[in-house]
């Protein structure tokens, strides 16, 4: 069966909206509830963060969500269980985003096996070195038809972009600027000139832009450059502020249609 | 004396000691680490670097530090005990050996803003000191909890011109200060991250170990003068992240004769959940960008360690030590708060030297060995006890 992420990128070339949620946040059993809501709102892709005590690349909003989820006793075993028992109703492609230590302790082989069993289509492990991906992860990921998504930033060298393009499928996660998550992106200038370079490389992969995308105009700007965007901290904040997900997603999309 | 010795290059080209080490970093840090990795060996092997480093260690830090034959302690334990007096370094601990080295690397790389993390404040003070000396901007992350516990060191850093930023995430101690320092480095890739121990992503563990290796190269030469031997029977050093131990072990790692003893903080006891004995309680994992032994839950959440000594309560350990310990090239023991306090008062009364609480752990471990009367033991006295007077006063009755 074709991987759901590949299927998505085949069917949809632009304005892909990916939303990040933290597993077990704000309450332990909210994971599937949040997925259901986002699915109903026709979001294209969901990234589920595995809570970790020391998330190096994350800003205060996602740190706090991680902390709450850990206090709620969320863990990888439980998350897979939640996903497994809802797999019939979850149609939307799911990507797990987690730091390597959590996955190491779970067991790498078992991790990819459980991903497949629970309809997880991709994983983002931001602190996984490429060499270690090749030697310890690639085999199990491919065996289970799970896609590893890698990150690049506007500062990534061309040589390394080509390397990452060669091991990625079907998309590369473009970090909007050199900054941790949740710092609102001040300007698209650097990204625009980066995309000039990127387009010239004729990569085989599609791209989504993430980090610092928090409102409709940024989403629109990102969508002009990439195939879509990923929103994390801003959505988590909206949960914290008890804003209905429907309003948040409609704001992101509705304002966009006005701007167009 | 030439303080930079090109000795055993333990890590491989990717920064692994056996299976420990490496660089487990988000892509956002890739360029930062690569810039350092591509340049550090070349920078520290230049004549100008060696000259500046040697000169500062000699005339600014006060090296070589004495290797003191502790007559009374030797009589007590019925063996020959030497104390390597790192407590006599400028700023009061071995930490400055590393900050001198790294600040010269930072300058060679053209950096003007320095980021550091600190637990008890010793590394923060050592970093603020070299930044004052070199006229560089200095930002130190310190856990909010530690800031209130270590007011004097916070004041020292501020007087030296550093900006002390409270780390408010997680448990608000060293682990979180390190996270915040790394996040600052992600946001400010033109800054230099001056790490305080033999931890973090490659090449930090190797670089810091090299700068601290001056401790063991001096021990080697000084033992020659004192005892006409170049290798002791034991070297004992306390281990949090493990920088003073790495420096004290460095020249003896391949020795057939010298037994290397690292001493971790057992806190209230290894079975009490109030401990920092990583080598006993930890499992293989990843923390702050390197693979090592880490205190963690079965789910991989890092556990907040405890020790009476703020310099030893780190939930990880340098990858060099993880390797030496797991391959049995060194032995890692642990002593409790009470044993360390007892050893501190013992040294004070026997030799008139008030040790840092960290170093007191190394001294307490002599009790765990059974030396022969001819054995030569070197204890690395990594720091002095001034900063710990409040704790000593609270726990000891006079």
């Amino acid at each position: 069966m074709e991987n759901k992420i590949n299927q998505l990128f085949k069917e949809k070339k632009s304005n892909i909206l990916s939303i990040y949620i933290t597993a077990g946040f704000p309450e332990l059993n909210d994971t599937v509830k949040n997925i259901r809501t986002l699915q109903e709102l026709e979001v294209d892709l969901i990234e589920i963060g595995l809570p970790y005590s020391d998330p190096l690349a994350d800003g205060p909003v996602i740190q706090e969500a991680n902390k709450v989820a850990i206090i709620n006793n969320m863990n990888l075993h439980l998350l897979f269980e939640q996903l497994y028992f809802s797999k019939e109703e979850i149609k939307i492609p799911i990507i797990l985003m987690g730091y390597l230590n959590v996955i190491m302790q779970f067991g790498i082989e078992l991790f990819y096996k459980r991903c497949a069993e629970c309809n997880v289509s991709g994983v983002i492990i931001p602190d996984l070195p490429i060499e270690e991906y090749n030697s310890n992860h690639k085999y199990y990921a491919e065996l289970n038809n799970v896609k590893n998504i890698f990150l690049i930033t506007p500062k990534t060298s061309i040589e390394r972009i080509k390397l990452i393009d060669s091991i990625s499928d079907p998309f590369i996660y473009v970090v909007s600027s050199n900054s941790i998550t949740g710092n609102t992106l001040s300007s698209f200038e650097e990204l625009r000139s980066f995309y000039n370079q990127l387009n010239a490389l004729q990569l085989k992969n599609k791209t989504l832009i993430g980090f610092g995308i928090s409102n409709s105009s940024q989403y629109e700007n990102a969508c002009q450059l990439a195939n879509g965007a990923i929103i994390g901290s801003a959505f988590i904040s909206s949960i914290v502020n008890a804003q209905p997900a429907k309003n948040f997603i409609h704001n992101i999309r509705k304002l966009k249609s006005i701007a167009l | 004396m030439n303080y930079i010795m090109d000795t055993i290059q333990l890590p491989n080209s990717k920064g692994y000691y056996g299976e420990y080490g490496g660089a487990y970093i988000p892509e956002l840090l890739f360029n930062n680490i690569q810039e350092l990795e591509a340049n550090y060996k070349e920078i520290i092997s230049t004549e100008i670097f060696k000259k500046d480093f040697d000169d500062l260690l000699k005339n600014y830090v006060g090296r070589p530090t004495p290797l003191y034959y502790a007559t009374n302690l030797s009589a007590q334990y019925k063996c020959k005990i030497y104390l390597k007096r790192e407590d006599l370094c400028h700023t009061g601990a071995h930490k400055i050996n590393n900050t001198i080295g790294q600040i010269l690397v930072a300058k060679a790389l053209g950096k003007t803003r320095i980021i550091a993390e600190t637990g008890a404040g010793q590394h923060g003070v050592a970093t603020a000191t070299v930044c004052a000396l070199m006229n560089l901007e200095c930002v130190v992350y310190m856990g909010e909890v530690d800031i209130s516990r270590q007011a004097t060191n916070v004041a020292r850093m501020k007087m030296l011109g550093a900006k002390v930023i409270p780390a408010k995430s997680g448990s608000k101690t060293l682990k979180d200060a390190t996270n915040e320092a790394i996040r600052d480095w992600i946001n400010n890739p033109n800054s230099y991250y001056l790490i305080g121990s033999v931890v973090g992503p490659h090449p930090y563990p190797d670089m810091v170990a090299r700068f601290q290796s001056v401790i063991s190269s001096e021990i080697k030469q000084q033992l020659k003068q004192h005892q006409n031997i170049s290798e002791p029977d034991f070297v004992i050093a306390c281990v949090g992240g493990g920088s003073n131990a790495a420096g004290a072990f460095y020249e003896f790692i391949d020795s057939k004769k010298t037994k290397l003893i690292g001493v971790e903080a057992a806190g209230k006891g290894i079975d009490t959940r109030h401990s920092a004995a990583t080598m006993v309680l930890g499992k293989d994992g990843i923390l702050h960008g390197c693979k090592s032994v880490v205190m963690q839950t079965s789910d991989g959440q890092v556990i907040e360690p405890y020790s009476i000594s703020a310099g030893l309560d780190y939930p990880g350990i340098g990858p060099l030590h993880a390797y030496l310990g797991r391959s049995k090239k060194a032995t890692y023991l642990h002593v409790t708060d009470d044993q360390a306090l007892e050893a501190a008062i013992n040294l004070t009364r026997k030799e008139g030297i008030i040790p840092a609480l960290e170093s007191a752990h190394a001294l307490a471990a002599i009790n765990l060995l059974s030396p022969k009367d001819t054995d030569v033991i070197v204890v690395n006295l990594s720091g002095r006890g001034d900063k710990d007077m409040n704790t000593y006063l609270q726990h000891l009755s006079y």
Side-chain angles (χ1 to χ4, degrees), chain A residues 53-55 132 155 160 180, chain B residues 24 27 31 179 183 301-302:
Chain A
S53 54
D54 297 78
E132 190 145 329
K155 298 266 192 296
R160 192 165 166 84
I180 56 175
Chain B
Y24 295 81
E27 190 63 29
N31 289 341
N179 290 336
R183 289 179 187 126
Q301 308 300 347
V302 179

Side-chain angles (χ1 to χ4, degrees), chain A residues 79-118:
Chain A
L79 173 62
F80 278 132
E81 225 166 80
Q82 291 178 344
L83 294 176
Y84 186 80
F85 288 113
S86 308
K87 73 178 196 178
E88 297 308 320
E89 64 165 313
I90 301 175
K91 312 280 182 226
I92 186 170
I94 301 285
I95 293 178
L96 296 191
M97 185 275 178
Y99 291 83
L100 182 54
N101 192 52
V102 171
I103 293 161
M104 234 177 105
Q105 304 313 319
F106 186 82
I108 291 162
E109 183 177 357
L110 180 63
F111 173 72
Y112 288 102
K113 186 167 163 269
R114 290 295 285 153
C115 282
E117 288 168 358
C118 302

Side-chain angles (χ1 to χ4, degrees), chain B residues 126-139:
Chain B
T127 304
T129 299
V130 296
C131 287
L133 178 68
M134 300 293 176
N135 191 26
L136 297 172
E137 186 187 347
C138 180
V139 178

Side-chain angles (χ1 to χ4, degrees), chain A residues 51-56 58 63 70 75 100-101 104-105 126-127 129 131-132 151 155 160 178-180 183, chain B residues 14 16 23-28 30-31 169 175 179 183 186-187 284-286 291 296 299-302:
Chain A
Y52 178 48
S53 54
D54 297 78
L56 275 187
D58 288 304
Q63 282 173 40
I70 292 169
N75 62 41
L100 182 54
N101 192 52
M104 234 177 105
Q105 304 313 319
D127 55 347
E131 295 83 3
E132 190 145 329
L151 277 60
K155 298 266 192 296
R160 192 165 166 84
N178 228 87
S179 172
I180 56 175
N183 287 352
Chain B
K14 295 282 177 197
Y16 285 90
Y24 295 81
I25 49 165
E27 190 63 29
L28 296 116
F30 187 83
N31 289 341
S169 60
K175 169 174 88 73
N179 290 336
R183 289 179 187 126
I186 289 175
N187 293 339
D284 288 6
I286 288 157
K291 189 183 278 181
Q296 54 185 311
D299 297 332
Q301 308 300 347
V302 179

Side-chain angles (χ1 to χ4, degrees), chain B residues 1 65-69 80 82 84 215-233 251-252 257-258 376 378:
Chain B
M1 205 185 299
T65 58
L67 185 70
Y68 165 68
Y69 181 68
K80 295 172 181 166
Y82 285 88
K84 181 57 174 165
I215 300 171
S216 51
S217 56
E218 284 179 7
I219 292 172
K220 218 170 180 175
Q221 295 181 32
Q222 290 164 324
L223 272 181
K224 197 94 192 160
Q225 290 159 15
H226 285 286
Q227 290 278 337
N228 201 26
I229 55 168
S230 56
E231 295 179 338
D233 295 287
E251 293 288 325
F252 306 115
K257 177 185 172 190
T258 308
V376 173
V378 175

Side-chain angles (χ1 to χ4, degrees), chain B residues 72-84:
Chain B
N72 301 326
L73 209 59
S74 298
Q76 180 187 356
Y77 287 105
K78 299 187 175 55
C79 58
K80 295 172 181 166
I81 299 176
Y82 285 88
L83 302 177
K84 181 57 174 165

